[in-house]
Amino acid sequence: MGKAPCCSKVGLHRGPWSSKEDMLLTNYVQTHGEGQWRALPNKAGLLRCGKSCRLRWMNYLRPGIKRGNISIDEEDLIVRLHKLLGNRWSLIAGRLPGRTDNEIKNYWNTHLIKKLRDEGIEPKPDKIIIKKRKDSKKKDRTDSVTSNASKKNKVSSDEEMNKKEEVAKIKVLVPKAIRVFSGSSSNNTVDSVLSSSSSIEVNDGKLEKNEEGVELEEGSWSKFDNNEYSYIDWPLIELGDTNYGTGPMYCVDNDHVLIDGCHFMLEDSMPNMLEQVYDEYLQLI
DNA sequence: AAGAGCGCCAACCGCCAGGCA
DNA sequence: CTGCCTGGCGGTTGGCGCTCT
């Protein structure tokens, strides 16, 4: 038996939103904040499904949304991120300020696929095995620290084994948006970075202190397949007047980051440190 | 001028994870 | 532990508008 629909569709408006509906929704959200989407239509006087309201707000009405005119730089970033992440539009959108997952998805499907194919490039991600939707979603979910799959008893043990094998192939973990550190560094070498990564103490999934006892900010920590824990981050890189997202950057500690499986040092002595890291990252991909 | 074909994109749909009672 | 609710995600659809014939 399937789940009941999120709301009764009887008597509800569908299709394009009118300016009056937009106004009602905007006023309500600005007054009461986001959330409680199911109850929102009644309270706001809208004859819409709550889900529809959320979508309209997230993709169109929310302040700061940029529409159209995707720049060459943004396009380039989308291509690179897609190469790394596949169709994880929300993650890609998270690296493009003001852009929504829906817009990027549409732009990819209508412009970029065609453009890349015209250039003789078959647009497919490097790292993630794209499967049919159902499987890939399960894979993505199991990629996070916890999974409900086994809890809900929906998969057999064979399926579990297959999923574990799939997970082992995936290098890119689901990140949470947190800021990167740019702490000081003195005598770092690649070797010391590599060795430092194994010295991190992890307590209950959250790193507390590094080797030197320096207090680190609490954040989202994930465990790599090689039992190494790393701080997942997607820092913004400033290039000129624009902020760009990089790929998944795992902050090993205050001074070191891991981008796409390779270690980098962060040093205050390098004024354009992040830009250099970004350049190296670009070369990698 | 009009109809067909096509591309774009807003909106919808189904599914799933996490929270909570 | 179980089931329901909510929010969020990615895939798909359908209508509108533009271009071509």
Side-chain angles (χ1 to χ4, degrees), chain A residues 19 30 37 39 43 45 69 77 82 132 134 144 147 150-151 157 176 185 203 212 239 244 265 275:
Chain A
S19 54
Q30 283 176 349
W37 295 107
K43 293 179 179 174
N69 297 326
L77 190 55
H82 185 272
K132 284 185 179 176
K134 226 174 177 176
S144 59
S147 168
S150 56
K151 183 178 79 180
S157 56
K176 283 193 173 180
S185 175
N203 186 357
E212 292 78 35
L239 289 177
Y244 295 95
M265 288 177 289
E275 190 169 343

Side-chain angles (χ1 to χ4, degrees), chain A residues 155-173:
Chain A
V155 288
S156 67
S157 56
D158 283 353
E159 287 169 328
E160 283 284 4
M161 288 296 290
N162 291 337
K163 278 184 352 187
K164 281 176 185 169
E165 283 175 14
E166 284 175 17
V167 168
K169 294 174 189 168
I170 299 163
K171 214 169 182 181
V172 181
L173 302 176

Side-chain angles (χ1 to χ4, degrees), chain A residues 75 78-79 82 87 89 104-124:
Chain A
E75 190 179 296
I78 292 168
V79 172
H82 185 272
N87 299 353
W89 306 115
I104 290 170
K105 180 171 59 185
N106 284 334
Y107 191 73
W108 176 266
N109 288 329
T110 56
H111 293 88
L112 291 179
I113 280 187
K114 200 168 48 179
K115 186 177 173 182
L116 290 173
R117 285 191 176 140
D118 285 348
E119 292 170 4
I121 302 165
E122 189 57 29
K124 57 181 182 185

Side-chain angles (χ1 to χ4, degrees), chain A residues 26-40:
Chain A
T26 304
N27 288 343
Y28 185 87
V29 175
Q30 283 176 349
T31 307
H32 299 90
E34 295 179 18
Q36 302 293 312
W37 295 107
R38 180 179 277 214
L40 186 147

Side-chain angles (χ1 to χ4, degrees), chain A residues 70-78 96 239 242 244 278:
Chain A
I70 290 185
S71 68
I72 300 291
D73 289 337
E74 285 177 312
E75 190 179 296
D76 183 54
L77 190 55
I78 292 168
L96 290 148
L239 289 177
T242 314
Y244 295 95
Y278 185 64

Side-chain angles (χ1 to χ4, degrees), chain A residues 58-72:
Chain A
M58 293 296 192
N59 288 336
Y60 201 86
L61 300 173
R62 197 160 42 116
I65 297 286
K66 282 191 247 172
R67 307 206 64 74
N69 297 326
I70 290 185
S71 68
I72 300 291

